[in-house]
Amino acid sequence: MTFLKMQNYEILIEEGGLSHFAKHIKEVYEFDELFVVTDQNVFDLYKTKLIEALVGYRLSFVVLPPGEKTKSLEVYQQAIKTLIEKGIKRNHLILAFGGGVIGDLTGFIASTLYRGISYVQIPTTLLAQVDSSIGGKVGIDLKEGKNLIGSFYDPKFVLIDPSFLKTLSKREYANGLAEMIKAGLIGDKKLYTYLLEHDTVTEVEISEAIQVKRNVVLLDPYDKKERMYLNFGHTFGHAIEKKHQYETYLHGEAISYGMLIALQIGIQIGDTKEELYQEVKTLLKSRGLIQEPLLQMDDYRDEIVHDKKNLADGLRFIIVTKPGDVKIVKLKESDIL
Ligand SMILES: NC(=O)c1ccc[n+]([C@@H]2O[C@H](COP(=O)([O-])OP(=O)(O)OC[C@H]3O[C@@H](n4cnc5c(N)ncnc54)[C@H](O)[C@@H]3O)[C@@H](O)[C@H]2O)c1
């Protein structure tokens, strides 16, 4: 088992860790009533296991439809209504049990309902385990764009049990691998090298990927500076997702194309070697994350210009100089578009 300390909470990473869940809850919560927010897929697959792990607790479930559309104002409002009807009080504990959609939405509910209720993250997708459950960013989407309403709100703890990953589809698994490849490229050469050679991961690599994110989040909890490193590949990734209405490409697929475009820009400005680009391209292709012909940045100009992360003082861009090493460069729109 690995324990990673964040500023206000711990991340517990253990294969089979769900079986010790009740013990961890007892350390942070004195009552016997728990409110579980989840989606229908996770509920169908893991309801029994969760109930078994939490013997002695009374569980109230809020089961939502799977998919990004659940991160909406309408579902937010509906889920809050259900929680209130089921009797939730300010000192109760909510469990966010699912992928990143459930984690982001439930964290946002927890941060706003009664001006803040405690919650715990139990991420069940690889993407949620290595990325969305870490760092305290919670929120929902608007018709105008993704993650436009949200807050920073830390959970009581995060429980990561890689055994949930056994039921993930190959495509959803690869979606998480893409964020791990990014983590390796920006901050952990050993992890990157492992991912070149293996298409499955264990709690060891999950911990390594989390530590890359953890290190920048601890330096910059509110996303003002260093946390920007995590955006490697995301300027184009977000543009690709947006242009295709968040339907054609999963996030990991979009950022895979985005990482390649970012590496190309690195080559253009003399900071990145062509061999690294070729190596990453072969890796992403072999994991089913990209297909040739590759998506080209020319087709995503409008979306890039409107990305909320493009700050008023120009486009700050993350360049990987070699695996594990990054730098921020300031580009003008005309440099890349
Ligand atoms: N807060 C952050 O810092 C942050 C970071 C990255 C991404 N995100 C957000 O995360 C969301 C994407 O998360 P996601 O990729 O986990 O998507 P998701 O939550 O939609 O899950 C993907 C699919 O996998 C299913 N699923 C979940 N666990 C499963 C399991 N163990 N076995 C089988 N199926 C399972 C879900 O029902 C869903 O159909 C996006 O909304 C994105 O904006 C947030």
Side-chain angles (χ1 to χ4, degrees):
M1 178 193 304
T2 310
F3 283 93
L4 297 175
K5 266 192 103 49
M6 300 300 287
Q7 204 170 14
N8 304 314
Y9 62 97
E10 278 188 344
I11 305 163
L12 321 171
I13 309 155
E14 186 187 15
E15 179 82 29
L18 183 67
S19 53
H20 307 128
F21 195 20
K23 181 176 78 110
H24 300 308
I25 290 182
K26 277 213 170 59
E27 286 163 12
V28 298
Y29 184 62
E30 58 182 309
F31 304 112
D32 63 0
E33 193 162 9
L34 293 168
F35 292 80
V36 185
V37 181
T38 188
D39 76 20
Q40 191 68 53
N41 294 338
V42 177
F43 181 77
D44 292 346
L45 285 164
Y46 292 109
K47 176 191 171 198
T48 312
K49 279 209 165 123
L50 189 73
I51 291 172
E52 280 168 10
L54 295 176
V55 166
Y57 283 98
R58 279 184 294 137
L59 305 185
S60 291
F61 283 92
V62 178
V63 183
L64 303 172
E68 187 67 32
K69 289 197 170 66
T70 285
K71 257 176 68 176
S72 66
L73 265 179
E74 294 73 24
V75 178
Y76 164 78
Q77 215 171 355
Q78 185 56 49
I80 283 187
K81 190 167 176 275
T82 312
L83 285 165
I84 293 171
E85 282 166 6
K86 286 180 186 273
I88 194 162
K89 302 287 181 299
R90 203 171 160 192
N91 50 4
H92 278 139
L93 184 70
I94 305 182
L95 310 184
F97 185 46
V101 163
I102 288 299
D104 281 13
L105 170 76
T106 309
F108 187 57
I109 290 172
S111 86
T112 47
L113 178 59
Y114 306 142
R115 295 200 179 82
I117 299 188
S118 299
Y119 80 116
V120 167
Q121 291 265 20
I122 315 121
T124 59
T125 63
L126 184 55
L127 182 122
Q129 295 193 345
V130 297
D131 192 0
S132 63
S133 67
I134 315 297
K137 275 191 188 177
V138 295
I140 54 174
D141 306 332
L142 292 182
K143 303 235 166 14
E144 289 74 13
K146 252 178 74 119
N147 300 319
L148 291 190
I149 297 185
S151 58
F152 291 91
Y153 193 64
D154 287 338
K156 282 284 170 197
F157 65 90
V158 184
L159 177 76
I160 293 180
D161 180 348
S163 65
F164 287 121
L165 307 179
K166 287 179 193 140
T167 50
L168 270 190
S169 68
K170 200 163 172 273
R171 190 174 177 208
E172 290 291 354
Y173 196 93
N175 190 37
L177 283 180
E179 284 291 354
M180 295 184 74
I181 293 167
K182 180 204 78 180
L185 280 169
I186 64 169
D188 187 339
K189 185 171 182 222
K190 177 172 160 276
L191 172 63
Y192 171 72
T193 309
Y194 176 94
L195 294 169
L196 282 176
E197 289 155 13
H198 303 82
D199 59 3
T200 56
V201 294
T202 69
E203 68 179 70
V204 173
E205 295 78 39
I206 290 174
S207 304
E208 288 169 353
I210 290 172
Q211 287 189 63
V212 172
K213 182 158 186 182
R214 172 182 176 271
N215 293 344
V216 281
V217 168
L218 286 178
L219 282 173
D220 178 19
Y222 298 110
D223 201 359
K224 304 276 187 221
K225 195 171 172 226
E226 288 86 352
R227 201 156 164 165
M228 202 181 286
Y229 291 131
L230 300 170
N231 288 335
F232 173 64
H234 281 56
T235 303
F236 296 102
H238 287 146
I240 292 165
E241 286 182 287
K242 187 160 188 210
K243 181 152 184 172
H244 300 277
Q245 285 87 42
Y246 303 96
E247 279 168 6
T248 314
Y249 299 100
L250 294 180
H251 178 68
E253 295 163 352
I255 66 147
S256 294
Y257 289 105
M259 287 192 281
L260 289 178
I261 295 172
L263 288 168
Q264 261 173 345
I265 291 173
I267 295 170
Q268 268 170 41
I269 62 175
D271 280 325
T272 308
K273 290 211 170 72
E274 171 73 26
E275 298 85 75
L276 179 62
Y277 173 86
Q278 292 303 339
E279 187 177 74
V280 175
K281 185 169 134 187
T282 307
L283 171 61
L284 296 173
K285 207 170 152 189
S286 71
R287 303 295 176 255
L289 284 159
I290 57 160
Q291 282 176 10
E292 294 194 88
L294 298 177
L295 304 179
Q296 300 298 324
M297 67 177 140
D298 254 12
D299 297 326
Y300 298 92
R301 282 164 192 273
D302 292 350
E303 289 75 17
I304 291 163
V305 172
H306 290 118
D307 188 321
K308 71 175 164 25
K309 291 198 170 63
N310 299 342
L311 305 174
D313 57 349
L315 194 71
R316 280 194 263 179
F317 204 79
I318 317 302
I319 297 286
V320 169
T321 48
K322 53 183 198 273
D325 277 329
V326 274
K327 71 180 199 187
I328 298 178
V329 293
K330 231 171 173 183
L331 301 174
K332 294 192 289 305
E333 272 172 29
S334 57
D335 291 333
I336 57 163
L337 294 173

